[in-house]
Amino acid sequence: MTDGAFTYNGGRVDPGETADIRYSISETYLGDPVRVPITIVNGPYDGPTVFLSAAVHGDELNGIEVVREVAQDWPHDNLHGTLVCIPVVNVPGFIAQERYLPVYDRDLNRSFPGSDTSTSAKRMAHQLFTNFIEPCDYGVDFHTSTRGRSNMLHVRANMDDEDVAALARAFGSNVIIDSTGPEGTLRREASDAGAPTITVEMGEAHRFQRRFIDEALDGVASVLAQYGLHPADPVDWPGWRTTIESGEKTWLRADAGGIVETHYAHGDLVHEGDTVCTITNPFKSTRDEVSAPFTGLLVGLLENPVVYPGNPLCHLVELDEPTRRAYERDRNGTMPERPA
């Protein structure tokens, strides 16, 4: 909980104040500062401190607009707590429109909590983590799929951690994938440091996709309602929800090279044995059909329709029978209200 100013190395934001800052975390080859844009909204009333971050991978853009709209467009006159909004974490990658830091191609999202005496990536991560992540009570980190693939909106969270699990459910997505996350990821290291954090995956790289942005804004509103930052707002119930563990998901991969025709969209239900996609050569004289090994939901899907053998085609998560029925009721518009 915050009962006063939000402080960081070089500044403070008092209750009732909002600050737009550009925080220096490194220097370029020319010695110019690498500065990260951060908005800190310290509400007039006491409450938790929540960070919202995006573009830890520099080409993942959907989350940028989510964080910007929360910081700049939402009213905060009745905010109970503090929002730390970081719309572009990986500024060098964003400028280059690359996933990784264009400094020896390092992944900033494997560099947290960082170190002030290590690599350039870990030094950047350290500045951000110690000043703006670790002081928070909760966090939501926005991502998209990598280039050439797209994800339906879903949450990734360590559901063995009760505080993280509560946050994941509060976001209100249909699908939660249960995983601790690799070492060095922002969500794992923030959670281990005492700031329960989830990852939200949505859409594809290199673009704004309004439908996903609006869905994610609903999720943020639900989180802020759940934790009392917006105490008058309702917590969202998605209608149906499934939590996927490690043994209940798989990537379908190409066994042949060629041009891919997909027969479903992400978010679709496919049944065991259904042909999810077909790979053909330029003359369509060869056909390699890729079938679903079990009944499940297409969470991620190839967008760039060309593959080598071994390339990922789609991310399939298994749904049990009750969840399938709930999914179908939702798609048919017959979903009951959330039970009281």
Side-chain angles (χ1 to χ4, degrees):
M1 304 290 283
T2 178
D3 56 5
F6 182 92
T7 60
Y8 57 92
N9 184 20
R12 61 182 283 139
V13 183
D14 290 309
E17 293 183 348
T18 296
D20 292 327
I21 64 174
R22 293 180 182 269
Y23 193 79
S24 180
I25 61 168
S26 187
E27 294 179 351
T28 70
Y29 293 130
L30 296 176
D32 297 324
V34 174
R35 300 188 300 172
V36 175
I38 302 170
T39 297
I40 300 166
V41 184
N42 195 342
Y45 306 103
D46 293 347
T49 300
V50 176
F51 77 82
L52 306 174
S53 58
V56 174
H57 293 133
D59 60 355
E60 298 182 1
L61 307 185
N62 275 328
I64 294 174
E65 192 60 13
V66 175
V67 178
R68 289 201 315 159
E69 290 192 23
V70 172
Q72 307 299 335
D73 297 343
W74 283 13
H76 297 298
D77 295 343
N78 195 40
L79 181 65
H80 288 61
T82 302
L83 294 175
V84 178
C85 301
I86 316 174
V88 181
V89 175
N90 182 354
V91 167
F94 175 76
I95 291 171
Q97 275 301 280
E98 295 179 1
R99 178 178 176 85
Y100 299 129
L101 284 166
V103 184
Y104 303 115
D105 210 30
R106 292 187 182 273
D107 188 349
L108 186 58
N109 204 34
R110 297 296 185 272
S111 303
F112 293 97
S115 166
D116 60 358
T117 60
S118 186
T119 65
S120 54
K122 289 192 174 182
R123 291 181 188 220
M124 293 181 193
H126 173 76
Q127 290 288 335
L128 290 166
F129 196 85
T130 56
N131 284 285
F132 302 104
I133 302 299
E134 197 170 20
C136 294
D137 297 300
Y138 304 96
V140 182
D141 185 32
F142 293 96
H143 287 256
T144 76
S145 189
T146 191
R147 181 177 58 189
R149 300 202 298 268
S150 184
N151 286 329
M152 69 173 288
L153 187 144
H154 66 278
V155 165
R156 297 185 183 184
N158 178 10
M159 300 300 281
D160 291 333
D161 183 319
E162 291 183 3
D163 294 327
V164 173
L167 176 61
R169 289 190 289 268
F171 192 85
S173 66
N174 293 121
V175 175
I176 300 170
I177 293 183
D178 179 11
S179 69
T180 57
E183 289 185 6
T185 54
L186 178 54
R187 75 168 167 100
R188 175 169 174 170
E189 301 301 337
S191 297
D192 288 349
T197 299
I198 60 173
T199 292
V200 177
E201 293 276 354
M202 53 174 186
E204 58 186 296
H206 291 293
R207 65 194 63 209
F208 280 168
Q209 295 167 287
R210 192 69 236 179
R211 178 171 65 87
F212 289 114
I213 292 166
D214 288 341
E215 263 191 274
L217 286 167
D218 289 343
V220 173
S222 182
V223 166
L224 300 188
Q226 175 69 42
Y227 291 98
L229 286 91
H230 288 172
D233 291 348
V235 179
D236 188 36
W237 163 243
W240 63 272
R241 176 186 291 134
T242 185
T243 299
I244 306 299
E245 298 180 354
S246 59
E248 301 169 327
K249 63 183 189 297
T250 189
W251 275 99
L252 302 185
R253 293 183 177 273
D255 290 329
I259 299 168
V260 182
E261 179 186 1
T262 55
H263 307 303
Y264 295 89
H266 55 62
D268 282 352
L269 181 71
V270 297
H271 293 83
E272 182 177 353
D274 284 351
T275 301
V276 179
C277 58
T278 304
I279 304 169
T280 59
N281 67 16
F283 312 106
K284 291 194 172 183
S285 60
T286 63
R287 294 177 61 86
D288 190 74
E289 295 185 343
V290 180
S291 301
F294 51 76
T295 299
L297 196 68
L298 288 172
V299 171
L301 197 63
L302 183 76
E303 295 287 346
N304 183 359
V306 293
V307 291
Y308 278 107
N311 284 170
L313 296 165
C314 60
H315 191 191
L316 183 66
V317 300
E318 192 169 6
L319 297 185
D320 58 25
E321 183 61 34
T323 305
R324 290 202 295 271
R325 290 197 299 268
Y327 168 93
E328 288 163 351
R329 287 196 301 269
D330 187 37
R331 282 291 174 104
N332 294 331
T334 59
M335 202 68 202
E337 294 293 327
R338 182 180 186 174

